[in-house]
Amino acid sequence: MNPIDYTGGMKFAIMVNSMQLQKWQAEVIKSLMNVENVSPWLIVMKESDNEKGQNIFKRLLRYPWQNILFKLYYRYFLKPDNFKAVNLLDLIPNVPVIKVIPRKKKISEYFSDEEIERIKSYEVDFIIKFGFGILKGDILSVTPLGIWSFHHGDEQKYRGVPPCFWEIFHNDPKTAAILQRLTEKLDGGVILRKGLFKTIDHSWKANLDQAIYLSTDWPADVCREIIAQGTFPDQTEGVSTTAPVYKIPGNTTFVIFLLKLLANKISFHYNELFSCEIWQAGIIKARTADILSGLQYEIDLEEVDCLRAKNNDFYIADGFAIRDSDRLLLMYEDYTYNSRKGHISGIWFNERDYSFTQPFKLLEETWHLSYPFILRYKGEILVMPECKDHKKVELYRFDINSLKLVPYMTLLDDIEAVDPTLIFHQNHWYLFFTSGRASNVELNIWHAENLEDQFMPHVLNPVKSNIGNSRPAGSFFYLDGKLYRPSQDCSRSYGGRIIINEVKILNEDSFLEMAVNVLEPPKGFLGLHNLSFAGDSMMFDVKRMGFSRANFFYQLKRKARLIK
């Protein structure tokens, strides 16, 4: 990384085939323009080179009839929301335009020296590519920060086209997207951002829209990082990949794909009606060292004291524990499918005789509550439940006399924070949560010197976009001077298992963590998504699937409304 200084601002160019952009491309430009002192400075447009003058008979002969089913579907049925047309000049009307005709050599396109010099004269800092073909030659280094391009797919698995298609065809649970700085090596750019999302296998349109939508802010995020940190990758070679290069599917392949979509859609709707998540909490003797030992830790169900709901119309999840005198205070989400809303309940647990008291309702609001994160602060027990639907991050104080949670302070307002988790690290407070728009994918950090101070967003937000280990899964913990963060792996199903990450770097403008261990759910269960340690005990929750009468009638009514 070479040190650079862009605190005075950045200028960028846009490469397009025409002035008609897709909606998502316009959103990328809007996001860039929302970064202070980052401005569009130039449009580089490719001169059209169509075949309208050709004989119609020759055009029919050259038409790829072997792909006709795909082309018809793509043109008339797919229609992703992000593909809607937007006029670039309506967005940036006063930006100069350079028209170029790149030279073709095999499958690549090259710019002439004159075209290179014309672009250089505008002194832009980087180019965002929305058009042209495979670029080679001096154009790749025409700006200090190069040419940035999106690829909606995992470069280690799927190169080529169409985007977000082959993941469904091959039953891949993850779909990826990357933002890269192009290099001379095909599909070997320098990765600037990468995200992993759960494949929506019953809808190609939804899967594509998801990957596009969740990556539109990445160029703006990179600009903020460059301005704040003063660094940018300077290597000339990027990633190495041996992934196959896919092409537009033939008619037979596309029929198989459509049949897969149909089967997946039937399965999706069946599961929504007849199968729902049933969580239960448990507590077991375990220390942090146990789950980080060299041996694979397994939860022994015979050693677990369980908290279960009375029937499948209810569940208990998101358990947190804290020691209070000679007993443990346990808090958890108490959810009912009848109201589709959770409240926070509590219970005392005696470690000497492994007994529970009667549960008590700690907090109920008109909005959904879950994930009652617990901490001790200035002699008080504070609780920070998830209030995503209320668009706040709020702390409550536990009143031991009334056994209620009473308002204490608001940390963040007007924000959808999922599973908010606090850690006081190196004399600084850090608040972790995933965003409401991508609750299982986008990890965000906010920070403040004191808990009472105004929290500020981390310069790298979102610091991670990964369905496999972003969403918080309980309290941080220290072991042998190292900080660890439990996270959820939602790649195959929500809360499927827990990934333990060692936090390598955490400060106001940097973050780095590395996965060091995996906790699988115990035998007979399909999920494990929360851990909390208190003394010699570990509280956790596990998931099975079951039929809920309340959920069935809710989903049935919802689907009837959608059909109507």
Side-chain angles (χ1 to χ4, degrees), residues 123-137:
E123 298 181 339
V124 296
D125 299 302
F126 68 92
I127 298 173
I128 189 80
K129 178 179 178 289
F130 292 137
F132 293 77
I134 298 169
L135 300 179
K136 292 288 182 71

Side-chain angles (χ1 to χ4, degrees), residues 64-217:
W65 297 103
Q66 70 277 13
N67 309 120
I68 184 65
L69 293 181
F70 171 84
K71 289 181 172 292
L72 289 173
Y73 184 90
Y74 190 88
R75 181 170 183 178
Y76 295 108
F77 297 100
L78 182 63
K79 297 183 179 180
D81 296 336
N82 284 294
F83 280 13
K84 293 176 181 177
V86 175
N87 191 299
L88 179 57
L89 293 181
D90 291 340
L91 184 63
I92 45 173
N94 300 315
V95 174
V97 179
I98 291 178
K99 295 184 178 181
V100 299
I101 306 177
R103 293 179 293 109
K104 280 195 173 182
K105 189 183 293 185
K106 293 185 178 179
I107 62 171
S108 302
E109 296 181 343
Y110 294 79
F111 281 53
S112 68
D113 292 341
E114 180 185 352
E115 290 166 341
I116 294 288
E117 290 305 315
R118 287 181 66 196
I119 295 171
K120 275 187 177 179
S121 68
Y122 285 87
E123 298 181 339
V124 296
D125 299 302
F126 68 92
I127 298 173
I128 189 80
K129 178 179 178 289
F130 292 137
F132 293 77
I134 298 169
L135 300 179
K136 292 288 182 71
D138 292 341
I139 186 62
L140 297 176
S141 56
V142 74
T143 66
L145 303 179
I147 297 176
W148 302 357
S149 177
F150 285 93
H151 173 63
H152 296 107
D154 191 334
E155 84 289 349
Q156 297 299 323
K157 295 181 180 179
Y158 310 101
R159 294 187 289 166
V161 292
C164 306
F165 173 94
W166 296 105
E167 292 86 345
I168 299 174
F169 188 85
H170 291 297
N171 304 315
D172 192 328
K174 296 180 184 178
T175 294
I178 64 171
L179 175 69
Q180 60 183 330
R181 178 172 65 81
L182 297 179
T183 65
E184 288 284 349
K185 185 179 178 182
L186 180 62
D187 298 318
V190 177
I191 303 296
L192 304 178
R193 284 289 188 277
K194 182 171 182 175
L196 295 169
F197 322 110
K198 181 174 174 55
T199 299
I200 303 174
D201 64 1
H202 61 278
S203 171
W204 180 24
K205 173 181 176 294
N207 199 43
L208 182 56
D209 266 332
Q210 167 190 242
I212 290 173
Y213 171 70
L214 294 179
S215 59
T216 52
D217 288 336

Side-chain angles (χ1 to χ4, degrees), residues 454-467:
Q454 181 180 357
F455 276 72
M456 302 299 294
H458 199 281
V459 68
L460 299 182
N461 279 344
V463 298
K464 179 183 284 189
S465 295
N466 189 338
I467 188 71

Side-chain angles (χ1 to χ4, degrees), residues 215-256:
S215 59
T216 52
D217 288 336
W218 288 355
D221 294 338
V222 174
C223 287
R224 292 188 186 95
E225 180 180 351
I226 293 169
I227 293 169
Q229 296 188 342
T231 58
F232 186 75
D234 58 357
Q235 63 261 44
T236 56
E237 292 189 9
V239 296
S240 177
T241 177
T242 58
V245 179
Y246 287 90
K247 298 180 180 179
I248 291 175
N251 294 334
T252 301
T253 300
F254 194 67
V255 168
I256 295 172

Side-chain angles (χ1 to χ4, degrees), residues 60 207 233 237 244 256 285 390 443 535:
L60 287 172
N207 199 43
E237 292 189 9
I256 295 172
K285 274 193 166 297
H390 191 47
L443 180 64

Side-chain angles (χ1 to χ4, degrees), residues 496-508:
R497 60 181 185 171
I498 289 178
I499 308 296
I500 304 296
N501 302 282
E502 181 186 341
V503 178
K504 299 286 190 178
I505 302 173
L506 176 57
N507 55 47
E508 295 175 52

Side-chain angles (χ1 to χ4, degrees), residues 294-338:
L295 302 175
Q296 180 66 42
Y297 178 79
E298 294 183 7
I299 295 173
D300 185 351
L301 293 176
E302 293 185 0
E303 302 295 324
V304 175
D305 291 282
C306 292
L307 288 170
R308 297 186 181 92
K310 54 187 178 182
N311 60 54
N312 283 0
D313 288 340
F314 304 83
Y315 67 66
I316 290 172
D318 292 345
F320 284 86
I322 194 168
R323 181 171 294 283
D324 188 67
S325 299
D326 59 347
R327 55 185 178 173
L328 297 182
L329 173 60
L330 312 181
M331 296 187 187
Y332 51 89
E333 172 194 352
D334 211 334
Y335 184 86
T336 168
Y337 278 110
N338 291 287

